[in-house]
């Protein structure tokens, strides 16, 4: 279903961020929100190095989906990453979005932990705007009646059937959600078209200003 671009709302949410978006982030967000307005599902790959700020672009897209009355599912490959995204997104947009976390080890809302069964009932009722989680999101009893956007972080970590299962309508509306895949792995446009078919690509080349360098240690 088309999701109208509410420019005033998105500009206000961008102003509320504790940092400034880069030019590439703004362009990528613009491309996604223009895709939302079409009468067919988006299929876009957001490509950018680690630390380029892909998740905040996805969060702003989720805010636009919420504004139009829809839900978003955000699929991450590991529990640590899912928990990280849940905390960050709650900090940045918890004043507006009802955000939930679902992983193999448990479930929680920003207000605190709850049972998986309780969360699944809340999801089915449509009481959650943004569901962040791991492969647990792929279970058949995870129902999002107003699902309009699926975000897959590190999309290469999931199989084709896993990605497809989230896009299958699990409700009476039979609406196929928009798909935003994200990756830090450089994929040339020609190769992407060969592998993924009809795929639009947004690239974030810039790093946010004043960002601390990433340190990887064991």
């Amino acid at each position: 279903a088309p999701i109208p671009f509410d420019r005033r709302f998105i500009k206000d949410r961008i102003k509320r961020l504790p940092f400034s978006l880069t030019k590439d982030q703004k362009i990528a967000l613009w491309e996604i929100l223009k895709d939302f307005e079409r009468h067919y599902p988006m299929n876009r790959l957001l490509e950018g190095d680690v630390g380029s700020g892909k998740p905040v672009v996805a969060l702003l897209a989720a805010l636009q989906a919420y504004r139009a009355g829809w839900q978003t599912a955000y699929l991450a490959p590991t529990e640590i990453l899912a928990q990280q995204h849940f905390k960050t997104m709650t900090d940045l947009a918890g004043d507006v979005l009802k955000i939930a976390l679902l992983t193999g080890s448990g479930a929680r809302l920003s207000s605190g932990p709850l049972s998986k069964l309780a969360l699944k009932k809340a999801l089915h009722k449509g009481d959650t705007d943004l569901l962040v989680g791991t492969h647990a999101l792929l279970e058949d009893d995870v129902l999002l009646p107003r699902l309009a956007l699926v975000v897959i972080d590190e999309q290469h970590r999931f199989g084709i059937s896993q990605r497809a299962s989230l896009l299958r309508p699990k409700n009476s509306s039979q609406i196929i959600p928009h798909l935003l895949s994200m990756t830090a792995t450089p994929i040339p446009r020609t190769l992407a078209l060969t592998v993924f078919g009809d795929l639009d690509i947004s690239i974030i080349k810039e790093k946010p200003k004043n960002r601390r360098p990433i340190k990887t240690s064991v």
Side-chain angles (χ1 to χ4, degrees), residues 131-206:
L131 175 61
V132 181
T134 56
H135 295 75
L137 268 61
L138 305 174
E139 295 171 7
D140 288 338
D141 59 349
V142 176
L143 301 174
L144 294 153
R146 295 182 288 109
L147 181 63
L149 172 62
V150 171
V151 181
I152 301 180
D153 198 4
E154 296 192 34
Q155 56 85 30
H156 59 280
R157 302 274 290 272
F158 299 94
I160 293 172
S161 59
Q162 289 176 324
R163 296 199 296 262
S165 70
L166 261 181
L167 298 177
R168 278 197 297 269
K170 293 183 179 179
N171 52 67
S172 56
S173 66
Q174 294 299 299
I175 291 172
I176 297 172
H178 297 284
L179 173 63
L180 177 64
S181 302
M182 303 198 298
T183 184
T185 307
I187 302 173
R189 187 175 297 270
T190 48
L191 178 61
L193 286 169
T194 304
V195 176
F196 298 108
D198 188 13
L199 181 78
D200 296 306
I201 301 177
S202 295
I203 299 175
I204 300 178
K205 295 179 183 176
E206 298 174 87

Side-chain angles (χ1 to χ4, degrees), residues 19 34 47-48 52 64 71 74-75 77 84-85 93 167 191:
F19 48 80
K34 295 307 287 182
E47 185 181 302
S52 61
Q64 181 61 86
Q71 294 169 300
Y74 190 110
L75 182 62
Q84 255 181 349
H85 289 322
L167 298 177
L191 178 61

